[in-house]
Amino acid sequence: MKKSFFFSLLFFLLAYNSFSQDTPEILVANFFKAYPQGPAKAVEKLYNTNPWVSRNMDAVEGLKNEINKLTPEYVGKYYGYELIVKRQIASSFILQSYLVRYDRQPLRFTFEFYKANDKWFLYAFKFDANLDDELEESAKLNYLPASVN
């Protein structure tokens, strides 16, 4: 009885782990959970989901150096993040963009995830501070002048 229970439990745990999948949402949540303790480590952990990352380590190191410049002296205190937009192409390619709140200014973090077969991995990550420019441009595009009679 104990032996069959043990093997049943072992089978269940192995089956659960093989079917559980880190979704893009979970990968982003894990990134932002690690981010306050060390931005570069959070980026490194995120890129470790990509089996092809070893081919472009120089770019990842450059990104880690840039994100480490977001110090409290430069951008102020970090307060959190909010989803701006989520876009998907078919069921295997997802972009998620987040507003990251700092004292001095908001930043945008953009994550792209790809699932070629059965596992999601980070395809690309970038961050920028161009939110205000895009917001102003979108306001111009939506402006319709009053008709002249």
Side-chain angles (χ1 to χ4, degrees):
M1 174 78 172
K2 287 183 181 181
K3 199 179 227 182
S4 65
F5 175 75
F6 173 74
F7 284 118
S8 296
L9 182 62
L10 182 63
F11 175 76
F12 174 75
L13 290 174
L14 290 174
Y16 178 77
N17 283 337
S18 66
F19 291 117
S20 69
Q21 169 66 219
D22 282 345
T23 63
E25 291 77 16
I26 290 172
L27 294 171
V28 168
N30 289 340
F31 170 84
F32 281 117
K33 185 177 180 183
Y35 184 77
Q37 285 75 42
K41 280 286 189 192
V43 168
E44 185 176 318
K45 184 177 179 182
L46 189 60
Y47 269 102
N48 283 341
T49 67
N50 185 327
W52 300 94
V53 74
S54 62
R55 295 174 183 241
N56 203 3
M57 286 307 294
D58 289 342
V60 174
E61 288 300 319
L63 184 58
K64 288 167 47 178
N65 290 334
E66 287 300 310
I67 206 162
N68 269 340
K69 293 178 183 176
L70 301 177
T71 63
E73 296 78 28
Y74 183 65
V75 289
K77 183 178 176 184
Y78 166 73
Y79 289 106
Y81 63 99
E82 301 172 33
L83 179 66
I84 298 172
V85 68
K86 177 181 174 181
R87 296 286 186 259
Q88 187 168 340
I89 298 175
S91 62
S92 300
F93 196 69
I94 294 175
L95 176 141
Q96 294 179 2
S97 182
Y98 290 84
L99 180 130
V100 179
R101 298 186 328 263
Y102 282 96
D103 273 328
R104 180 174 174 232
Q105 70 186 80
L107 297 175
R108 175 182 30 213
F109 284 19
T110 303
F111 304 83
E112 294 177 5
F113 296 98
Y114 178 58
K115 182 172 73 169
N117 186 21
D118 61 351
K119 186 176 179 184
W120 287 101
F121 64 86
L122 182 73
Y123 182 77
F125 169 75
K126 63 183 174 181
F127 66 95
D128 66 86
N130 300 328
L131 291 164
D132 57 336
D133 295 338
E134 288 185 26
L135 191 59
E136 289 173 18
E137 275 304 308
S138 72
K140 291 176 188 175
L141 293 175
N142 290 322
Y143 173 72
L144 297 175
S147 59
V148 179
N149 291 338

